[in-house]
């Protein structure tokens, strides 16, 4: 079965640079969630989109923005990167009308040097 | 204060033992309860999804929810070395779809 696809898997950036993370949800899933997991920490909710509209916002810095496109894939844009942004970034997708069970991708590991 | 508390362990058990994991939460508004398994450097993998109080069984895994005590548990029977991973409980409210995760319990099953 198709799963959530995230790219890239690994990303190395310098401080103050910009990064773009991509997420391709499971086919026919209409909702995408982004989570950030720091070293040794649990995932923290950043932002979500339902039917291409932002549906909820968590502890996402103003330097970050995201959107969901017409094909339901989503991109998380991160600017003015800081050392503290180094983390695993997970995308999850769900079908809102089918219990909204969230399935996670393998994540993008971002290292800011 | 975190919305859901989970003992981070670590937990080390011999192969074949029963693994018992639990989480407590503070707000009765939480109505959906999940357990995810996460291998090192991988994404969380859904193991169990429950809504009501009681038990739900899937193979060697049993999820238990006690809404009156705000307590959820996951039991792994006949544990295998391949069960070695971090187990995360996750909860959410009815009309709020974001998940709140516990800290995760790292389990090692010794062969």
């Amino acid at each position: 079965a198709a799963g959530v696809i995230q790219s890239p898997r690994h990303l190395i950036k310098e401080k103050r640079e910009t990064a773009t993370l991509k997420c391709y949800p499971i086919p026919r899933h209409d909702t995408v969630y982004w989570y950030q997991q720091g070293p040794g920490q649990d995932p923290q909710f950043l932002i979500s989109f339902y039917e291409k509209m932002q549906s909820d916002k968590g502890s996402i810095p103003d330097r970050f923005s995201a959107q969901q496109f017409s094909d339901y894939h989503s991109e998380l844009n991160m600017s003015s990167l800081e050392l503290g942004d180094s983390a695993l970034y997970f995308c999850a997708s769900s079908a809102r009308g089918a219990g909204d069970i969230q399935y996670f991708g393998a994540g993008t590991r971002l290292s800011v040097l | 204060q975190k919305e859901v508390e989970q003992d981070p362990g670590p937990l080390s058990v011999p192969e074949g033992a029963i693994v018992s994991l639990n989480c407590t939460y503070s707000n009765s508004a939480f109505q959906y309860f999940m357990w995810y398994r996460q291998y090192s450097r991988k994404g969380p993998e859904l193991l169990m999804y429950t809504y009501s109080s009681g038990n739900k069984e899937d193979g060697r895994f049993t999820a238990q929810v006690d809404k009156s005590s705000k307590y959820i548990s996951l039991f792994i029977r006949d544990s295998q070395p391949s069960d070695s991973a971090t187990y995360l409980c996750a909860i959410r409210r009815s009309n709020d779809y974001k998940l709140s995760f516990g800290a995760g319990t790292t389990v090692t099953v010794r062969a």
Side-chain angles (χ1 to χ4, degrees):
Chain A
V4 177
I5 306 297
Q6 290 188 247
S7 68
R9 291 296 312 278
H10 304 276
L11 195 55
I12 299 175
K13 292 286 184 179
E14 300 277 342
K15 279 172 53 178
R16 292 181 289 278
E17 285 190 323
T18 297
T20 297
L21 280 55
K22 296 185 179 182
C23 169
Y24 297 87
I26 292 170
R28 291 180 294 282
H29 279 194
D30 50 22
T31 308
V32 166
Y33 304 81
W34 286 96
Y35 292 84
Q36 177 192 58
Q37 186 175 30
Q41 298 179 5
D42 54 286
Q44 295 292 314
F45 171 74
L46 292 177
I47 195 166
S48 63
F49 293 87
Y50 167 61
E51 284 291 348
K52 293 154 278 184
M53 298 287 290
Q54 181 181 308
S55 56
D56 200 357
K57 197 171 182 179
S59 49
I60 182 170
D62 291 340
R63 299 176 290 108
F64 294 6
S65 65
Q67 58 181 322
Q68 187 178 31
F69 294 87
S70 57
D71 64 350
Y72 292 95
H73 94 272
S74 178
E75 295 184 5
L76 177 66
N77 298 293
M78 309 159 70
S79 62
S80 302
L81 287 170
E82 302 174 355
L83 296 178
D85 296 328
S86 296
L88 265 172
Y89 290 84
F90 291 109
C91 171
S93 76
S94 69
R96 185 59 63 89
D100 199 70
I101 298 172
Q102 294 182 32
Y103 296 91
F104 283 75
T108 294
R109 179 172 294 280
L110 172 67
S111 297
V112 182
L113 306 179
Chain B
Q1 185 180 357
K2 283 179 67 69
E3 294 181 309
V4 55
E5 299 287 345
Q6 181 178 5
D7 186 346
L11 200 58
S12 179
V13 300
E15 184 174 357
I18 295 176
V19 176
S20 174
L21 306 166
N22 54 74
C23 291
T24 59
Y25 61 98
S26 54
N27 193 326
S28 58
F30 290 108
Q31 296 289 320
Y32 294 86
F33 310 93
M34 288 133 280
W35 285 95
Y36 285 86
R37 177 175 63 194
Q38 186 174 24
Y39 292 111
S40 181
R41 297 173 180 265
K42 303 290 186 184
E45 172 193 1
L46 181 68
L47 285 177
M48 302 290 279
Y49 173 87
T50 58
Y51 171 74
S52 52
S53 283
N55 293 352
K56 181 177 181 180
E57 195 172 309
D58 184 1
R60 297 183 295 109
F61 298 91
T62 298
Q64 204 171 70
V65 174
D66 182 346
K67 287 187 175 181
S68 62
S69 301
K70 301 186 184 65
Y71 191 88
I72 60 174
S73 301
L74 178 71
F75 300 96
I76 308 173
R77 291 185 301 281
D78 187 25
S79 57
Q80 305 295 309
S82 58
D83 294 327
S84 298
T86 296
Y87 291 81
L88 296 147
C89 62
I91 59 176
R92 74 165 180 90
R93 296 174 171 86
S94 288
N95 296 317
D96 184 351
Y97 298 96
K98 64 181 178 285
L99 299 180
S100 294
F101 285 89
T105 301
T106 299
V107 174
T108 301
V109 181
R110 308 185 305 272

